[in-house]
Amino acid sequence: MRKLLFVVGLCLFISFISNAQKPNKPNASEIHEAIKKLNFLGSVLYVAAHPDDENTRLISYMANHQKARTAYLSMTRGDGGQNLIGPEIRELLGVIRTQELLAARRTDGGEQMFTRANDFGYSKHPDETLTIWDKKEVLSDVVWAIRKFRPDVIINRFDHRTPGSTHGHHTSSAILSEEAFGLSGDKNMYPDQLQYVEPWQPKRLFFNTSWWFYGSRENFEKADKSKLLELDTGVYYPSSGLSNTEIASLSRSKHKSQGFGSTGTRGKQNEYIELIKGDLPTDKTNIFEGIDTSWNRIKGGKAIGDILYQVEKNFDFRNPVASVSELVKAYQGIQQLEDDHWKAVKSKEIKAIIAAASGLYLEAVSSESNTTKGSEVALKIEAINRSNNKVTLKSVQIAALGINDTPAKVLENNTRQNFEFKGIIPSDFGYTNPYWLNKKGSLGMYQVNDRKLIGKPETEHKIKAIFSLDIEGITIPFSKEVVYKTNDPVKGEVYKPFEVIPSVSASIKDKVIIYANGPAKQIPVIIKAGEANINGSVSLAHPQGWKVLPERIDVNLTQKGEEKTVVFTLTSPENQSEGYISPIIDINGNKHSKEVVTIDYEHIPFQTVVLPSETKVVRLDIKKKGQNIGYIEGAGDVVPESLQQIGYKVTTINPESISPEILKDFDAIVLGIRAYNTVEQLKFKQQFLLDYVKNGGNLVIQYNTSRRLKVDDNLGPYPLKLSRDRVTDENAEITFLAPDHPVLNSPNKITQDDFKGWVQERGLYFPSEWSKEYTAILAANDKGESQKKGPLLVAQYGKGYYVYTGLSFFREFPAGVSGAYRLFANMLSLGK
């Protein structure tokens, strides 16, 4: 599969302008498609709420068929979603999903933008969303994106006219886009932005509709389509051997953490866009009708167009370098443009084309993958010209390291030139980190004070090599990020970003530590050296009322990358209490309390995140019955580790091995979230699980969705129907429907206090219908909605108990919510 995706990646038209670490090596067909795009001066901005909301068919169509500069503006980074590929949630999941969006855009040819809005979880209405997001600030970010990107056309994924009919984030994205459309051209709105950008008024605003929004295909057929444009996005691209819909599926499949793998399709595929604002094109297949998308649209552009249209027409696929002379002339003309926007956009595009057509390969590689402030960095530089054109390397400048060399080397055809340099990282240089995580934000907003950073998909790497080349007598600068490159015995050549990290970091593996079986615990703290010769001491900041021994531990690390573990004893108060602990490393009076987290998945570039190192500690008043818990993993959560924290012995059960013999010795069996949606074997093993209950076992099922349910007719021992009911207000009032039921009384007395401090939501995808054998234990509802009685259902079946819950334990456990642990312990203790 990796080989297939790599081959496909080489065929995509604009991929070689990407910022991924691995260098792109475009072929002649890609170069020609990029020249076509160079000659199109039109832009489209697609707007939605989350990663995976975007219509990749339409984005790919606009970027690759229309040749428009196309971007996706996602309001959030998807931090509130779930992770199907690993344990990362919240901020770290947002980092993953940001990179998945960038991988998708490298596939479909688009660009990526964001606002500062934080995905705080499911919202039922835009009124709630826009209150938590801070509407004024997010609206300013959308206006900023429009002014910065300058789209001719905006396309909303969702309908601003239907609040309450879908996720509040979805509708909010359309509301904000519709308002920003009318504000972005007004110089009196957000005037602070105008020191960087100019007012910009897009021509048209559309809503990307479909039959789905009409309720049925029949309703759509009957609907008034006078304001609809119809676009066939199923076009075939002979230069890549792919249909647009196949490219779109490859792009969609980059959203692996959400489980959105997509199978490619071929043939006609109509997309519909409804005009919301602006004038309606008379040609309903031409979204740019009436908009000059040629070089003539900008002052001084005609002369450039006269050159580049001939380059496109006369392009020699067997000898792309034949176009370089004229491309260089066009580059000169672009540098004289008064329009700074198009000057910047087209300079970037044409430089990439000149480099590709010339067979230029420019690279700056560090000897190590990371370094620290004040450290020396050794670099290897490679420059090669694989053409007969006269090219001279005039200089190599790496400003961040104080390197400025002027070799004035003629780059002869296919003769590699190598250089070695050393430089020093400045002592005030910032750590490599997602810029939106540098400061603590709020529930709904990330805090980013630098206006120039807002909207950027990722932090720009500041350690860059600028190669100044003389090509055809004209000096052209080419920028390359310094990277780290190594050879893997299996993968071969592997690239990673070159990063600046703290000189020393500290981490505690568990982000929540529960005290349920005694007042004292050993707290291992991992100290890691970012550079050699670290000498200092470590202490543990702790909440009032807690005690730590020893007060301080000396630490000595002689080698870069070396790790040592020091152990503190932390004793809790006698009564229920909670707070945070943080390791603090003192080196010559300088305090260090950061943790370096790495994220390494094959489908996205390696990521380093620097965060405050802290762990929540909870002294919990909890009792439990039973000891041995079997756990069947679902879509991924930390429930097994959380149960171990409170003293259970948890064994992960391979679904294929489920049998009466395997199950019989467990006091309870727990299924992970969405297990019945993701584990195929369960449709064959469900009867064993139900028989386990019948024979006296205790089975706890965490939430599933009704879609793609593997055991649709056999979810429980009695009829049970799932719905999309959910309670998104984490503070929603809880009603005890069965206050005398054992699950609320034994071994822990559950009270309203146990539902305080919950995070993100009460629960999701509750059952809506069930037979009389089930007892509904709890009820809750969001404001203005009917009461939902399906958060927790219990049925006695034979000698045992079957429990189905949509309560969001998978979110509460990582947050250290005491009441969630107490209630779950009662569920596991039923019948004991």
Side-chain angles (χ1 to χ4, degrees), residues 194 374 427 448 538 622 631:
L194 301 184
S427 59
V448 182
V538 187
I622 189 172
Y631 199 86

Side-chain angles (χ1 to χ4, degrees), residues 506 508 513 515 523 525 527 537-553 566 568-571 578-586 591-594 612-617:
I508 301 172
I513 298 176
Y515 283 69
I523 309 295
V525 179
I527 310 300
S537 63
V538 187
S539 59
L540 196 64
H542 56 277
Q544 187 174 0
W546 295 65
K547 297 178 181 179
V548 62
L549 289 174
E551 290 186 5
R552 191 175 303 276
I553 300 174
V566 299
F568 293 93
T569 299
L570 183 67
T571 303
E578 61 183 56
Y580 289 88
I581 57 174
S582 298
I584 299 174
I585 309 168
D586 187 328
K591 302 292 195 297
H592 301 264
S593 58
K594 297 291 187 181
S613 181
E614 63 178 20
T615 286
K616 186 175 184 180
V617 289

Side-chain angles (χ1 to χ4, degrees), residues 354-574:
I354 290 170
S358 301
L360 285 175
Y361 187 88
L362 307 169
E363 188 171 73
V365 177
S366 168
S367 60
E368 297 183 282
S369 62
N370 55 58
T371 191
T372 58
K373 299 177 183 181
S375 295
E376 186 177 72
V377 178
L379 300 176
K380 291 184 177 180
I381 304 294
E382 178 180 340
I384 188 169
N385 164 34
R386 291 169 289 185
S387 75
N388 287 318
N389 271 13
K390 184 179 179 180
V391 179
T392 300
L393 176 60
K394 296 177 68 176
S395 68
V396 178
Q397 183 181 45
I398 307 173
L401 303 181
I403 295 171
N404 188 6
D405 191 73
T406 54
K409 284 274 188 181
V410 175
L411 300 182
E412 303 289 351
N413 185 7
N414 211 30
T415 301
R416 187 176 64 215
Q417 295 289 339
N418 294 104
F419 309 89
E420 294 187 4
F421 299 114
K422 289 184 179 180
I424 303 293
I425 299 289
S427 59
D428 60 350
F429 204 85
Y431 299 133
T432 303
N433 203 42
Y435 69 85
W436 61 95
L437 298 181
N438 283 334
K439 294 185 177 180
K440 188 174 180 62
S442 65
L443 173 64
M445 296 288 292
Y446 282 117
Q447 184 180 347
V448 182
N449 297 328
D450 186 343
R451 165 57 60 187
K452 291 178 288 186
L453 287 176
I454 293 173
K456 288 181 178 292
E458 59 184 340
T459 304
E460 185 177 354
H461 283 254
K462 296 180 180 179
I463 306 179
K464 297 181 177 181
I466 306 300
F467 295 82
S468 291
L469 300 182
D470 183 302
I471 304 176
E472 300 285 322
I474 302 300
T475 299
I476 305 176
F478 294 89
S479 176
K480 296 290 181 180
E481 289 182 5
V482 173
V483 296
Y484 173 69
K485 181 171 66 173
T486 187
N487 183 73
D488 183 273
V490 175
K491 300 175 184 178
E493 191 175 58
V494 174
Y495 282 81
K496 292 173 69 175
F498 174 62
E499 300 175 316
V500 179
I501 63 173
S503 58
V504 64
S505 60
S507 63
I508 301 172
K509 179 183 177 183
D510 295 318
K511 297 309 171 189
V512 174
I513 298 176
I514 305 296
Y515 283 69
N517 302 293
K521 279 185 179 286
Q522 301 294 298
I523 309 295
V525 179
I526 302 169
I527 310 300
K528 185 172 183 177
E531 61 187 25
N533 299 318
I534 295 294
N535 293 287
S537 63
V538 187
S539 59
L540 196 64
H542 56 277
Q544 187 174 0
W546 295 65
K547 297 178 181 179
V548 62
L549 289 174
E551 290 186 5
R552 191 175 303 276
I553 300 174
D554 291 336
V555 63
N556 172 253
L557 302 171
T558 59
Q559 299 181 53
K560 177 178 179 177
E562 183 181 354
E563 290 186 2
K564 283 189 177 178
T565 300
V566 299
V567 180
F568 293 93
T569 299
L570 183 67
T571 303
S572 70
E574 292 184 5

Side-chain angles (χ1 to χ4, degrees), residues 123-181:
S123 175
K124 292 182 177 178
H125 199 279
D127 288 349
E128 176 193 44
T129 299
L130 294 173
T131 298
I132 295 175
W133 274 358
D134 188 342
K135 179 182 177 181
K136 180 182 177 182
E137 291 302 310
V138 182
L139 180 59
S140 79
D141 290 358
V142 180
V143 170
W144 168 256
I146 293 171
R147 288 173 171 174
K148 193 174 180 182
F149 189 75
R150 292 172 63 173
D152 298 301
V153 174
I154 298 176
I155 303 174
N156 291 342
R157 183 68 184 105
F158 300 104
D159 192 347
H160 69 286
R161 299 162 296 188
T162 56
S165 63
T166 182
H167 197 324
H169 296 184
H170 292 169
T171 310
S172 295
S173 71
I175 290 171
L176 293 165
S177 176
E178 192 268 344
E179 289 189 28
F181 182 89

Side-chain angles (χ1 to χ4, degrees), residues 32-293:
H32 187 241
E33 293 298 333
I35 293 170
K36 291 181 183 178
K37 196 174 185 76
L38 183 66
N39 282 331
F40 191 93
L41 279 71
S43 303
V44 176
L45 183 65
Y46 197 89
V47 179
H50 311 105
D52 71 45
D53 281 346
E54 79 274 26
N55 184 338
T56 54
R57 293 186 299 272
L58 203 50
I59 290 175
S60 179
Y61 177 84
M62 291 298 167
N64 298 315
H65 179 72
Q66 295 281 7
K67 304 296 186 226
R69 185 178 180 225
T70 307
Y72 173 40
L73 173 61
S74 178
M75 297 292 141
T76 76
R77 297 176 184 270
D79 325 69
Q82 292 154 35
N83 185 0
L84 301 188
I85 61 173
E88 298 88 357
I89 58 173
R90 293 304 305 154
E91 291 87 354
L92 296 180
L93 177 58
V95 173
I96 292 173
R97 298 191 72 191
T98 293
Q99 290 300 321
E100 288 179 337
L101 272 177
L102 288 169
R105 298 295 80 79
R106 287 192 291 271
T107 302
D108 58 34
E111 300 176 35
Q112 187 60 51
M113 304 175 76
F114 292 95
T115 74
R116 288 170 291 170
N118 192 342
D119 179 1
F120 57 85
Y122 193 87
S123 175
K124 292 182 177 178
H125 199 279
D127 288 349
E128 176 193 44
T129 299
L130 294 173
T131 298
I132 295 175
W133 274 358
D134 188 342
K135 179 182 177 181
K136 180 182 177 182
E137 291 302 310
V138 182
L139 180 59
S140 79
D141 290 358
V142 180
V143 170
W144 168 256
I146 293 171
R147 288 173 171 174
K148 193 174 180 182
F149 189 75
R150 292 172 63 173
D152 298 301
V153 174
I154 298 176
I155 303 174
N156 291 342
R157 183 68 184 105
F158 300 104
D159 192 347
H160 69 286
R161 299 162 296 188
T162 56
S165 63
T166 182
H167 197 324
H169 296 184
H170 292 169
T171 310
S172 295
S173 71
I175 290 171
L176 293 165
S177 176
E178 192 268 344
E179 289 189 28
F181 182 89
L183 299 177
S184 58
D186 185 347
K187 66 181 181 180
N188 296 312
M189 298 304 301
Y190 302 108
D192 59 298
Q193 299 179 4
L194 301 184
Q195 59 181 309
Y196 306 108
V197 293
E198 295 179 355
W200 178 257
Q201 182 57 57
K203 183 79 169 176
R204 299 181 180 110
L205 173 68
F206 292 96
F207 159 46
N208 183 193
T209 190
S210 72
W211 68 265
W212 188 87
F213 289 97
Y214 289 79
S216 69
R217 294 183 185 276
E218 291 75 19
N219 290 344
F220 182 64
E221 290 300 321
K222 299 173 186 176
D224 176 14
K225 297 185 179 62
S226 59
K227 290 190 175 182
L228 263 62
L229 272 64
E230 181 177 346
L231 306 171
D232 179 10
T233 61
V235 293
Y236 174 67
Y237 304 124
S239 55
S240 70
L242 295 169
S243 293
N244 185 73
T245 45
E246 291 176 298
I247 294 175
S249 291
L250 290 169
S251 173
R252 184 79 171 160
S253 296
K254 297 299 182 183
H255 295 296
K256 297 185 186 301
S257 66
Q258 293 300 102
F260 280 141
S262 177
T263 300
T265 61
R266 289 143 294 280
K268 188 174 182 179
Q269 175 73 58
N270 288 333
E271 287 289 338
Y272 298 91
I273 53 176
E274 176 189 356
L275 184 72
I276 301 298
K277 286 187 173 181
D279 61 301
L280 185 70
T282 54
D283 178 0
K284 291 193 174 185
T285 64
N286 183 7
I287 195 172
F288 288 102
E289 184 185 78
I291 301 171
D292 189 351
T293 58

